[in-house]
Amino acid sequence: MSKQTHTLPDELAPLVVQGKLADNERIKGQSNLLRGTIANDLQDPLTGGFSADNFQLIRFHGMYQQDDRDLRAERAEQKLEPLHTVMLRARLPGGVITPTQWQAIDAFAGEHTHAGSIRLTTRQTFQFHGVLKRDIKSMHQMLNQVGLDSIATAGDVNRNVLCTSNPEQSELHSEAYEWARKISEHLLPRTRAYAEVWLDGEKVESTEAEEEPILGKTYLPRKFKTTVVVPPHNDVDLHANDLNFVAIADNGKLVGFNLLVGGGLAMTHGDHATYPRTADELGYLPLEKTLEVAAAVVTTQRDLGNRVNRKNAKTKYTIDRVGLDVFKAEVERRAGLTLAPTRPYQLTGRGDQFGWTAGIDGKHNLTLFIENGRILDYPGKTLKTGMAAIAAIHQGTFRLTANQNLIVAGVASDDKATIEALARQHGLLDDRHSAQRKSAMACVSLPTCPLAMAEAERVLPHYVDRLETLLAKHGVPEEAIIFRVTGCPNGCGRAMLAEVGLVGKGPGKYNLHLGGNHNGTRIPKLYRENVDETELFDQLDALIGRWVAEREEDERFGDFVVRAGIIAPVIIPKQDFYA
């Protein structure tokens, strides 16, 4: 693209937010294209953590500095610093990973992570938790040796690109995955910092030759998330993301995408200038313009996004501030096209399709439910050992889903029985899991997330037990409510697209949101604030009772509470969410 495509026209200059820049802008600008002094920090044996600026910069390399909050008080009494470690999130466009790669990450996790676990995430990838500073470099080198990396999975960049799971289900799915991979590569940072710091890459004498033509020298104002969606399945929750490409097919062949922008779920307690938001439709684009349009949306957000107030820096706030028409016109100008009207499509659901499904070329795919996405050996449920055993014999690939589950993809007919037997032997396939358990999700939260205000992952199994009990009490044990728990309002567990969403407010306390819908296109609204477990399930007991008694045929819980007037629908999030 031409240089002009990436330059803000004079008439839009007044729309740029003025004021003192957020300190993150200084950090990025002074970072020498994301190098900072990370390499120096790695050599410092006096602390397990990173210095203040590098604490932020390592995020662009796919890591967050954390500590075990369960041990903070004990270590403070011993006059020790917190037990600093890092969490790494891998870059895995579309969630595709080979058995060989799985074996490598399994071995590393067993030796160098907290409890030896592999964590599948809502970003359709895996995370390592609890890696000590001394092991960070070897972790990146291990990933590189098997063709993986963690470039730009955190920080103010476009992050891991999600794609409707199981690309081998049809030719259309395969094409969509290839575009997810291309978009990911196209929007990556161009700096050589990752290779230099972690892979002992050769340092250049000058950084003048390095440019960031899409991301810019200070990168994006805030994190940026992208999806590729094959309707009618919305398993990636497109409305949680800044940029979405909805696949449009003609006779089973991908011909273009509908473009949706401006979704995002994060908010701040008590700050009504922050709110979750669904994405807006911009129009339809032909396939050959995909990468140009992706870059145009990113650079428009780069130049118009709020660099003064990070709480209002996401694309959703840019669009609400400058107007959708202005944003769309600038995307069209930069991409050199006029978007056509949005083509018809429908979203009908978003859960994963568990069990066996038929693929193309006579292959089969087995979707495994992984509660909380935590791959670990438990008493009587040796998930990690089982996955290692499957990886040792599987001839296809694995597909991680955006719902924290895993697909054993491309299984030959002759191998089905062996794969299924291993899955059942190790508790990876269990017919006793209810539809409700499979419809629930939580973020990691305590003890490692520094932002967590309440438990999420550790309480989810118990909360689902109680919810199953209520469904059985009211005579609908086979039903499922999309139920999600997040430890804080940042949205990692996507509670703001649930029928029942819990957002952590303090130890043991949550804000209860109701009224999301089954296909993930409506934000739930606050119903009760600061509830504990007892009040939460008392409320749900009464509400589920009403739902069963008063619902229309096949009416979902989220739709019922809106229709019955129990909660008002959120139609325009900026206006309705707090109203």
Side-chain angles (χ1 to χ4, degrees), residues 319-382:
I319 291 173
D320 280 346
R321 176 169 51 81
V322 307
L324 185 63
D325 290 343
V326 170
F327 194 93
K328 177 182 178 180
E330 185 60 10
V331 168
E332 291 178 326
R333 186 187 73 84
R334 294 180 183 221
L337 88 164
T338 298
L339 292 165
T342 297
R343 295 198 180 184
Y345 71 99
Q346 188 177 18
L347 300 175
T348 59
R350 51 190 164 141
D352 292 328
Q353 302 174 58
F354 296 100
W356 287 105
T357 58
I360 57 179
D361 297 330
K363 299 293 180 67
H364 306 271
N365 311 293
L366 177 62
T367 303
L368 305 173
F369 168 65
I370 310 294
E371 189 164 35
N372 279 319
R374 185 69 69 176
I375 304 274
L376 186 63
D377 283 349
Y378 303 92
K381 192 171 65 171
T382 50

Side-chain angles (χ1 to χ4, degrees), residues 11 27 51 69 93 132 147 225 259-260 263 283 322 357 367 392 394 400 416 420-421 427 434 479 533 573:
E11 60 268 24
I27 294 172
S51 63
R69 293 171 61 177
L132 296 170
K225 299 176 180 178
L259 180 68
L260 287 86
V322 307
T357 58
T367 303
H394 181 41
L400 310 187
K416 280 184 66 180
E420 180 169 335
S434 68
E479 294 279 4
E533 181 182 342

Side-chain angles (χ1 to χ4, degrees), residues 246-542:
V246 176
I248 301 299
D250 186 3
N251 293 321
K253 286 285 293 181
L254 184 64
V255 294
F257 293 105
N258 284 338
L259 180 68
L260 287 86
V261 297
L265 305 184
M267 55 184 174
T268 301
H269 286 315
D271 183 352
H272 288 198
T274 67
Y275 45 87
R277 186 187 192 278
T278 49
D280 289 313
E281 294 179 343
L282 283 196
Y284 169 84
L285 60 130
L287 208 55
E288 63 272 14
K289 298 294 286 186
T290 301
L291 298 183
E292 291 165 285
V293 168
V297 174
V298 169
T299 60
T300 299
Q301 163 60 4
R302 178 197 71 191
D303 295 342
L304 287 175
N306 189 335
R307 293 181 182 267
V308 174
N309 180 2
R310 284 180 65 80
K311 291 182 180 179
N312 286 104
K314 287 273 288 174
T315 311
K316 60 182 178 179
Y317 301 120
T318 304
I319 291 173
D320 280 346
R321 176 169 51 81
V322 307
L324 185 63
D325 290 343
V326 170
F327 194 93
K328 177 182 178 180
E330 185 60 10
V331 168
E332 291 178 326
R333 186 187 73 84
R334 294 180 183 221
L337 88 164
T338 298
L339 292 165
T342 297
R343 295 198 180 184
Y345 71 99
Q346 188 177 18
L347 300 175
T348 59
R350 51 190 164 141
D352 292 328
Q353 302 174 58
F354 296 100
W356 287 105
T357 58
I360 57 179
D361 297 330
K363 299 293 180 67
H364 306 271
N365 311 293
L366 177 62
T367 303
L368 305 173
F369 168 65
I370 310 294
E371 189 164 35
N372 279 319
R374 185 69 69 176
I375 304 274
L376 186 63
D377 283 349
Y378 303 92
K381 192 171 65 171
T382 50
L383 306 184
K384 189 167 182 288
T385 299
M387 279 304 307
I390 292 173
I393 65 168
H394 181 41
Q395 300 299 307
T397 60
F398 296 131
R399 316 279 174 162
L400 310 187
T401 82
N403 296 312
Q404 304 171 332
N405 299 309
L406 186 146
I407 303 169
V408 185
V411 179
S413 296
D414 290 345
D415 297 329
K416 280 184 66 180
T418 302
I419 296 290
E420 180 169 335
L422 284 171
R424 290 191 180 280
Q425 175 187 343
H426 293 282
L428 290 158
L429 191 60
D430 189 338
D431 298 331
R432 294 171 296 179
H433 288 143
S434 68
Q436 179 56 66
R437 194 164 297 275
K438 293 174 182 176
S439 297
M441 193 160 65
C443 68
V444 172
S445 195
L446 294 165
T448 54
C449 179
L451 302 177
M453 301 176 183
E455 296 280 2
E457 177 180 332
R458 295 196 292 195
V459 299
L460 183 68
H462 169 62
Y463 281 10
V464 172
D465 288 343
R466 295 203 61 176
L467 193 50
E468 288 173 331
T469 299
L470 292 181
L471 292 171
K473 171 185 175 181
H474 293 286
V476 287
E478 74 289 348
E479 294 279 4
I481 296 168
I482 297 174
F483 177 77
R484 294 175 178 175
V485 186
T486 62
C488 81
N490 279 284
C492 296
R494 303 204 296 268
M496 288 299 94
L497 285 172
E499 294 179 285
V500 175
L502 303 185
V503 179
K505 194 75 181 294
K509 296 294 183 69
Y510 302 88
N511 285 353
L512 169 61
H513 293 255
L514 301 176
N517 58 11
H518 180 59
N519 57 3
T521 61
R522 188 171 64 224
I523 301 288
K525 193 178 178 71
L526 180 64
Y527 179 68
R528 291 288 186 272
E529 189 171 7
N530 220 30
V531 300
D532 61 13
E533 181 182 342
T534 299
E535 183 179 359
L536 166 64
F537 286 99
D538 284 348
Q539 292 289 339
L540 290 179
D541 188 3

Side-chain angles (χ1 to χ4, degrees), residues 150-196:
S150 63
I151 300 171
T153 57
D156 299 344
V157 287
N158 179 66
R159 300 188 177 185
N160 194 51
V161 177
L162 309 189
C163 182
T164 296
S165 298
N166 205 353
E168 294 184 358
Q169 186 173 325
S170 70
E171 186 175 349
L172 178 60
H173 285 75
S174 297
E175 291 181 289
Y177 162 69
E178 287 301 324
W179 279 106
R181 186 183 57 78
K182 291 175 184 177
I183 293 166
S184 175
E185 296 290 337
H186 191 62
L187 299 179
L188 281 180
R190 297 293 183 257
T191 174
R192 293 183 282 271
Y194 183 87
E196 288 181 11

